[in-house]
Amino acid sequence: MADTDTAAVEGAVGGFLGLRRRAAGYGDIYFAVGVMGILAVMLFPMPTSLLDVLLAVSVTLSVLILLNVLFIEKPLDFSSFPTILLIAAILRLALNIATTRTILSHGHEGPGAAGHVIQAFGTLVIGNNIVIGMIVFSILTLINFIVITKGSGRIAEVSARFSLDAMPGKQMAIDADLSAGLIDEPTARARRKELESESTFFGAMDGASKFVRGDAIAGIIITFINFIGGIIIGVVQRHMAFVDAAHSYTTLTIGDGLVAQIPSLIVSTSAGLLVTKSGVVGSADKAIVAQLGRFPRAMIMISAFAFIMGMIPMLPTLPFFTLSIMAGLTGWYLLKNPLKSPAEVLKAEEDAKKAEETATKAAEAAEEPVEKALSLDAIRLELGYGLLPLINYGKGQKLTDQIKSLRKQIAKDLGFIMPAVRIQDNMQLPANTYIIKVKEIECGRGDIRPDMLLVMDPKGGKIDLPGEDTIEPTFGLPARWVPAANREEALFRNYTVVPPPTVITTHLTELIKENMADLLSYSEVKKLLDGIGEEHKKLVEDTIPSQITVSGVQRVLQNLVGELISIRDLPTILEAIAESSKLTHSLTLISEHVRTRLARQISYANANANGEITLLSLSPRWEQAFQESLVGSGEEKQLAIAPSILQDFIKQVRATYEKHAMRGELPVLLVSPAIRPYIRAVVERFRPATVILSQNEIHPKAKLRTVGQV
């Protein structure tokens, strides 16, 4: 039996929900019918039973509006309030007309002639004294008209004006936040929409307040007409005694006025609460309690005040002592448990939400797949905790800004897009130590004094300034860390003064040049090819992959940047690759042909200030020795030279270059084209900065100055 009842209840609930869903699709029709019904109430006589229902609806609707205003968080949550207020005002006016018709037509029949609702309100207020009833009704009407309605209208008017005046500034603030990257486009769009809705809402409230004011005035006039007209009809037309007519029609008139004025008073109060809530966050009860309770000392002072008032003779002691105890206990409780404002509660909720999101992201990061650990940083700069201030260096250019400038300069000089440098702290390092890693392999490190300057003597002499002796980390030169206060004196003595961020940047620059070939990955080459100008797209399509693959181009470019030859002129390089790839598949020979096509660029890059290329030529003896040491058939040859002969060659090269270095010269070693790659492979192991050129790479118009022979 219980199961049957449960099934019946569930079936009834399900049927009701289904009916509600079907009815929701015709909401616009129901709304139109309701408005037309209100107009019908104005035009046609209504039975008293229907009037009772409609009057009850009016009172209930006004209370519903008040409760919604109390519970909303912000005014825009009830943006339809002006429309609802207008409908409620029209409903009350329609009921006023209907009740006026009924009172004047049937008022001679007694206090119940206009329905039970009007009779109950009239009897409740009047009791047995008509004068008291009229005074109470007049006071309620004056409160509604003069105090609440007038104040609400003024606040709505000022709020609308201020909201409209502040709109341009608020829109500019939103645009500024969007430009600064503080918010994204969807957030900016939502804020603009909210700003527009706010301005429209307060403008509508300014107009809607006039409805409330007009409703109050109309209620007063209708009540006066009912009172005068009812007595005249009762005495003249119905031949009633004046006392009986006055009692009957006064009861009906005041009852009707109260039924209209009480909902009007409630709606006016709702409008006042709504427009005065423009700067308050949270529901009304939370906002008021939180703000009144934020100052416990005020409650304690009120407790003392109530206690003193209770001690005064002729004043009732019990009420004041009770209030004193209640205020004192409340103040003591608030001192121990201070309340938070709605804004603070909202901020705490946002902080908790952000903390939850951070924890979620951390959990997701902890659960990242193992494959993530395989990724490498192309270039990483690890700083000890004492060097972290260099990132925001306040005495010169920041470290991050210098690295950005370095990337641009390398791209301009060598045509190489340097990978982004990841900077991170390393607490395991000494405080003033940094490490530079290429593909997570340490390539260099140094010690920095972040509050001092590195000073070097270009002539190699001793630095006569107070400080700490050190070795410059990039080139291994003797230097000294001196206090920043000695900067001017160091410059006056023609010393080289280097700020701490520049020391790191210089070291980073040299290490990148040394490892540039390894950093030029397949993906970077692909980006260079994809970014080539539209006028050269056809060249790329004809060359790759029909004549050479992207990997082949990568290898050729690596050979070039490995000797610090700029690859910025990529179209010329591709033309040279296209020419040579038809004759050979050896990447070494293709690279040599590309170097020949870049002869003008290479010659210009190795010329001194006078436009001359300082040369050291390779003696015929060593030319023959290397030529005879090449073994292998076809294009793939290898160098097979005796170790003793190779050691002799290395000694002679080293001695010759040291002699010229003492003169301040760094000449280019000129060799024949066939052996250039092999001599370069030998020399770069002990003198990586030495430039090795073949005769084909010297431009015909280049000025040459031969200073010796190896």
Side-chain angles (χ1 to χ4, degrees):
M1 186 67 179
D3 294 340
T4 303
D5 294 341
T6 303
V9 172
E10 292 178 351
V13 172
F16 173 75
L17 293 177
L19 180 62
R20 181 178 178 274
R21 283 193 295 269
R22 288 192 297 273
Y26 302 98
D28 53 347
I29 297 177
Y30 299 148
F31 184 76
V33 170
V35 174
M36 296 299 294
I38 293 175
L39 297 178
V41 172
M42 293 183 181
L43 301 176
F44 304 105
M46 294 288 130
T48 55
S49 57
L50 181 58
L51 280 178
D52 286 341
V53 173
L54 294 176
L55 291 171
V57 169
S58 176
V59 175
T60 306
L61 177 62
S62 63
V63 175
L64 176 62
I65 294 172
L66 175 63
L67 294 178
N68 276 276
V69 170
L70 291 175
F71 292 151
I72 59 172
E73 295 288 327
K74 54 185 179 180
L76 285 183
D77 291 343
F78 202 2
S79 58
S80 61
F81 182 82
T83 304
I84 296 175
L85 190 147
L86 173 60
I87 294 174
I90 293 175
L91 176 60
R92 287 194 301 274
L93 291 174
L95 290 175
N96 266 331
I97 294 173
T99 54
T100 297
R101 183 186 295 111
T102 303
I103 290 172
L104 296 180
S105 300
H106 304 282
H108 63 282
E109 298 176 4
H116 297 291
V117 174
I118 292 177
Q119 180 184 9
F121 272 84
T123 306
L124 180 66
V125 174
I126 293 177
N128 295 322
N129 195 320
I130 295 177
V131 177
I132 294 176
M134 294 180 65
I135 293 173
V136 171
F137 171 74
S138 301
I139 292 173
L140 287 175
T141 304
L142 290 174
I143 291 173
N144 184 20
F145 177 66
I146 296 178
V147 180
I148 299 177
T149 303
K150 189 173 182 179
S152 300
R154 180 57 179 167
I155 294 175
E157 180 183 355
V158 173
S159 299
R161 185 182 305 168
F162 285 177
S163 177
L164 186 62
D165 292 343
M167 179 178 281
K170 292 181 179 179
Q171 289 177 337
M172 292 177 61
I174 294 172
D175 294 339
D177 289 346
L178 179 62
S179 301
L182 301 178
I183 58 176
D184 53 9
E185 182 60 34
T187 305
R189 195 179 299 113
R191 289 189 180 180
R192 292 193 192 100
K193 179 63 177 176
E194 182 177 357
L195 181 61
E196 180 182 354
S197 300
E198 180 181 339
S199 177
T200 304
F201 171 76
F202 283 111
M205 281 300 300
D206 183 24
S209 63
K210 303 300 187 295
F211 291 126
V212 178
R213 181 181 179 89
D215 181 27
I217 296 174
I220 296 173
I221 295 174
I222 291 173
T223 302
F224 180 76
I225 291 173
N226 286 346
F227 178 71
I228 301 300
I231 293 178
I232 293 174
I233 291 173
V235 174
V236 176
Q237 294 184 358
R238 302 299 180 182
H239 306 289
M240 297 176 62
F242 180 82
V243 176
D244 295 336
H247 182 272
S248 178
Y249 283 101
T250 301
T251 303
L252 291 172
T253 300
I254 293 178
D256 177 41
L258 288 175
V259 172
Q261 285 299 318
I262 289 177
S264 177
L265 178 64
I266 295 174
V267 173
S268 300
T269 305
S270 304
L273 287 172
L274 190 64
V275 295
T276 56
K277 196 178 186 296
S278 58
V280 180
V281 178
S283 59
D285 62 319
K286 294 179 181 178
I288 294 173
V289 172
Q291 293 182 15
L292 286 179
R294 290 185 66 186
F295 305 101
R297 293 181 178 85
M299 299 298 294
I300 294 175
M301 293 179 68
I302 287 296
S303 174
F305 173 77
F307 180 80
I308 294 173
M309 293 295 291
M311 297 292 292
I312 296 176
M314 305 300 293
L315 289 179
T317 303
L318 183 60
F320 284 104
F321 277 9
T322 303
L323 289 174
S324 175
I325 294 172
M326 293 176 62
L329 291 175
T330 303
W332 177 81
Y333 177 80
L334 292 176
L335 282 175
K336 300 296 182 180
N337 305 279
L339 294 177
K340 294 182 178 180
S341 66
E344 292 173 339
V345 173
L346 183 61
K347 185 177 183 303
E349 292 176 354
E350 291 178 352
D351 293 342
K353 185 177 180 180
K354 290 180 180 178
E356 183 179 354
E357 292 176 354
T358 303
T360 303
K361 291 180 180 178
E364 292 176 354
E367 296 175 2
E368 287 181 349
V370 180
E371 289 77 5
K372 289 282 187 180
L374 299 178
S375 61
L376 296 175
D377 293 326
I379 306 173
R380 181 191 297 174
L381 175 61
E382 297 182 359
L383 303 175
Y385 67 88
L387 302 182
L388 295 180
L390 297 181
I391 297 175
N392 294 313
Y393 190 60
K395 301 177 182 179
Q397 195 174 19
K398 300 177 183 177
L399 177 60
T400 52
D401 293 340
Q402 290 195 14
I403 292 176
K404 290 178 183 177
S405 301
L406 171 62
R407 296 187 69 197
K408 293 180 181 179
Q409 191 63 39
I410 289 180
K412 181 180 179 181
D413 294 344
L414 298 173
F416 171 70
I417 306 300
M418 170 184 159
V421 180
R422 182 180 180 186
I423 304 176
Q424 69 177 32
D425 59 325
N426 187 343
M427 295 300 146
Q428 297 179 354
L429 291 176
N432 296 331
T433 300
Y434 69 88
I435 292 178
I436 299 174
K437 292 183 178 181
V438 175
K439 294 186 177 180
E440 300 199 358
I441 297 176
E442 181 178 335
C443 295
R445 69 164 58 204
D447 290 328
I448 299 292
R449 302 295 178 265
D451 297 328
M452 305 177 77
L453 298 172
L454 185 70
V455 174
M456 295 179 289
D457 187 353
K459 300 178 181 179
K462 184 178 179 181
I463 300 172
D464 190 17
L465 287 175
E468 177 185 344
D469 289 330
T470 185
I471 298 296
E472 195 274 332
T474 305
F475 304 104
L477 302 175
R480 174 170 289 189
W481 289 106
V482 302
N486 294 331
R487 178 188 182 92
E488 298 298 331
E489 184 177 357
L491 294 174
F492 179 76
R493 298 187 183 188
N494 294 323
Y495 292 153
T496 301
V497 180
V498 185
T502 307
V503 176
I504 298 177
T505 308
T506 304
H507 199 178
L508 180 63
T509 303
E510 295 303 316
L511 291 178
I512 288 173
K513 290 180 179 179
E514 292 178 9
N515 297 274
M516 198 174 296
D518 293 334
L519 293 172
L520 187 61
S521 62
Y522 181 96
S523 60
E524 294 296 334
V525 173
K526 191 71 171 60
K527 290 179 184 177
L528 290 175
L529 295 173
D530 293 340
I532 199 168
E534 289 294 331
E535 64 273 18
H536 302 295
K537 290 290 186 183
K538 182 62 176 174
L539 173 62
V540 177
E541 294 173 1
D542 293 344
T543 307
I544 304 170
S546 59
Q547 298 184 38
I548 190 172
T549 63
V550 176
S551 298
V553 176
Q554 176 193 3
R555 186 57 188 165
V556 172
L557 296 181
Q558 285 178 330
N559 291 337
L560 295 175
V561 298
E563 297 188 48
L564 299 182
I565 295 176
S566 174
I567 59 174
R568 188 176 176 185
D569 190 5
L570 193 56
T572 301
I573 295 174
L574 291 176
E575 290 174 4
I577 291 175
E579 294 170 358
S580 58
S581 60
K582 296 176 181 178
L583 305 174
T584 178
H585 294 291
S586 172
L587 295 178
T588 301
L589 296 179
I590 293 175
S591 299
E592 292 302 307
H593 181 73
V594 172
R595 292 173 63 93
T596 302
R597 285 291 304 273
L598 297 175
R600 180 191 296 273
Q601 171 187 313
I602 294 174
S603 298
Y604 177 80
N606 290 283
N608 57 22
N610 297 324
E612 299 175 339
I613 302 176
T614 306
L615 296 177
L616 276 176
S617 61
L618 191 64
S619 64
R621 171 201 167 197
W622 288 115
E623 287 276 356
Q624 184 179 358
F626 276 94
Q627 287 280 5
E628 294 174 351
S629 300
L630 296 178
V631 297
S633 59
E635 299 175 346
E636 299 299 331
K637 295 184 181 296
Q638 296 179 350
L639 182 65
I641 191 171
S644 58
I645 299 176
L646 188 61
Q647 287 295 327
D648 188 21
F649 173 74
I650 292 173
K651 288 180 182 179
Q652 288 196 25
V653 171
R654 184 172 286 163
T656 303
Y657 269 91
E658 286 179 356
K659 180 178 67 175
H660 286 280
M662 296 295 294
R663 302 174 185 172
E665 297 175 339
L666 187 60
V668 171
L669 182 60
L670 187 65
V671 301
S672 62
I675 61 174
R676 197 211 71 84
Y678 307 102
I679 293 180
R680 168 63 187 173
V682 173
V683 175
E684 71 175 346
R685 297 184 179 277
F686 64 94
R687 289 191 64 87
T690 302
V691 179
I692 313 293
L693 299 182
S694 69
Q695 289 91 342
N696 294 341
E697 297 166 15
I698 303 296
H699 194 266
K701 295 185 178 181
K703 297 179 182 180
L704 306 178
R705 185 170 67 91
T706 304
V707 295
Q709 190 179 69
V710 176

